[in-house]
């Protein structure tokens, strides 16, 4: 069931979204060569604590997971696409890092992700990240009253495929509200004009995931959480929580 949020509820989700935005900004600023990924998780924890927010990631255990998630961020390095568990891995020059974070504040959730390069970037990585951000912008632009879920999926998928990148099938965006994951699912590829009609009050997490090689294959790492590209190529993941309003899409996690 898809819950339509009131303007007051959307404002509350925006407050949660701004906590997420601050946590991601702080993590990115702290991500330097030699810093461990666990240290980035602690940076995000501090932002959540200072805001009086809690993490919907910490202790989360969906049906596929062998253990509860142990951190407040997902940190996916290089060939990791999403759901990377923070470890004592020390960041190296040129690492491509995707950081996903959520926050719950006053009973409402928001969710967002960024991708960036630590230290000296490879041009290919910058192109991958720029395309991910362009795909996200295209998906957000399609999140308007009168369109359908398929219009968002098509906009995201077209931006990815036109640039020659792969898309991991079966993973994409979702509704957000009282919980981090709600109906409906928001695929990263689809047919325009198909799927659930978009109505004012819907709040969606739109999250492109791109594989640099152009292939779609991925596998689950031994930790039961991290998804990695089958061919070892790099990946990028970006995300915003977006409210559909009569006046157009409202980005609740804008940084």
């Amino acid at each position: 069931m898809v819950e339509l949020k009131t303007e007051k509820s959307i404002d509350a989700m925006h407050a949660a979204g701004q906590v997420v935005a601050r946590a991601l900004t702080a993590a990115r600023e702290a991500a330097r060569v030699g810093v461990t990924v666990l240290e980035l998780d602690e940076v995000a924890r501090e932002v959540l604590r200072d805001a009086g927010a809690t993490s919907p990631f910490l202790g989360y255990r969906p049906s596929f997971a062998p253990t509860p998630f142990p951190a407040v961020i997902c940190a996916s390095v290089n060939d990791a696409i999403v759901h990377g568990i923070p470890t004592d891995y020390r960041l190296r020059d040129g690492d491509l890092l995707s950081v996903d974070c959520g926050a719950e504040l006053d009973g409402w959730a928001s969710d967002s992700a960024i991708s960036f390069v630590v230290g000296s970037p490879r041009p290919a990585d910058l192109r991958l990240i720029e395309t991910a951000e362009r795909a996200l912008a295209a998906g957000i632009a399609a999140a308007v009253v009168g369109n359908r879920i398929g219009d968002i999926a098509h906009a995201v998928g077209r931006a990815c495929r036109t640039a020659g990148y792969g898309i991991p099938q079966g993973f994409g965006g979702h509704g957000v509200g009282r919980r981090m994951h709600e109906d409906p699912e928001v695929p990263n590829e689809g047919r325009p004009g198909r799927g659930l009609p978009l109505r004012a009050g819907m709040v969606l997490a739109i999250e492109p995931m791109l594989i640099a090689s152009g292939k779609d294959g991925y596998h689950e790492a031994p930790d039961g959480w991290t998804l990695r590209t089958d061919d070892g190529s790099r990946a990028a993941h970006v995300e915003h929580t977006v409210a559909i309003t009569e006046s157009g899409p409202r980005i609740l996690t804008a940084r």
Side-chain angles (χ1 to χ4, degrees):
M1 183 179 71
V2 177
E3 177 191 1
L4 300 181
K5 280 72 175 180
T6 65
E7 185 175 344
K8 182 178 179 180
S9 298
I10 290 172
D11 286 341
M13 294 184 69
H14 178 259
Q18 292 309 291
V19 176
V20 175
R22 292 196 297 273
L24 289 174
T25 298
R28 180 168 187 166
E29 290 174 350
R32 297 182 297 274
V33 174
V35 171
T36 70
V37 182
L38 274 172
E39 288 174 307
L40 301 186
D41 184 68
E42 182 53 41
V43 166
R45 286 176 190 249
E46 184 174 353
V47 173
L48 267 61
R49 282 195 299 265
D50 289 348
T54 58
S55 170
F57 289 19
L58 185 62
Y60 180 58
R61 189 178 184 182
S63 59
F64 67 81
T67 58
F69 196 76
V72 305
I73 63 169
C74 296
S76 305
V77 183
N78 296 333
D79 66 327
I81 306 167
V82 288
H83 302 163
I85 296 176
T87 67
D88 59 1
Y89 172 82
R90 292 190 180 276
L91 295 169
R92 302 173 182 175
D93 187 52
D95 278 345
L96 196 168
L97 178 62
S98 298
V99 181
D100 191 355
C101 184
E104 291 178 343
L105 184 67
D106 297 327
W108 294 98
S110 279
D111 186 14
S112 185
I114 56 174
S115 287
F116 57 92
V117 177
V118 178
S120 306
R122 304 179 186 179
D125 289 342
L126 294 181
R127 287 194 298 272
L128 178 67
I129 294 168
E130 288 167 2
T131 303
E133 292 174 345
R134 189 163 60 248
L136 176 58
I140 292 170
V144 296
V145 175
N147 273 358
R148 292 175 176 267
I149 290 290
D151 294 301
I152 297 175
H154 177 70
V156 171
R158 181 173 57 184
C160 299
R161 294 297 190 190
T162 299
Y165 295 120
I167 300 172
Q169 300 301 306
F171 287 86
H174 49 86
V176 187
R178 292 284 185 183
R179 294 175 291 111
M180 177 176 60
H181 288 148
E182 295 186 351
D183 291 333
E185 294 184 359
V186 186
N188 283 329
E189 198 164 27
R191 298 178 62 182
R194 299 295 184 92
L196 187 72
L198 303 180
R199 298 172 59 188
M202 293 174 67
V203 180
L204 307 173
I206 301 172
E207 48 180 319
M209 304 168 196
L210 283 66
I211 298 175
S213 66
K215 298 179 181 179
D216 297 350
Y218 65 90
H219 61 274
E220 186 181 274
D223 63 23
W225 276 98
T226 308
L227 299 184
R228 295 189 178 277
T229 62
D230 278 348
D231 56 11
S233 61
R234 295 190 171 203
H237 171 218
V238 294
E239 175 185 17
H240 272 309
T241 296
V242 181
I244 297 172
T245 76
E246 293 291 356
S247 57
R250 180 183 176 189
I251 304 173
L252 305 183
T253 48
R255 294 176 289 280

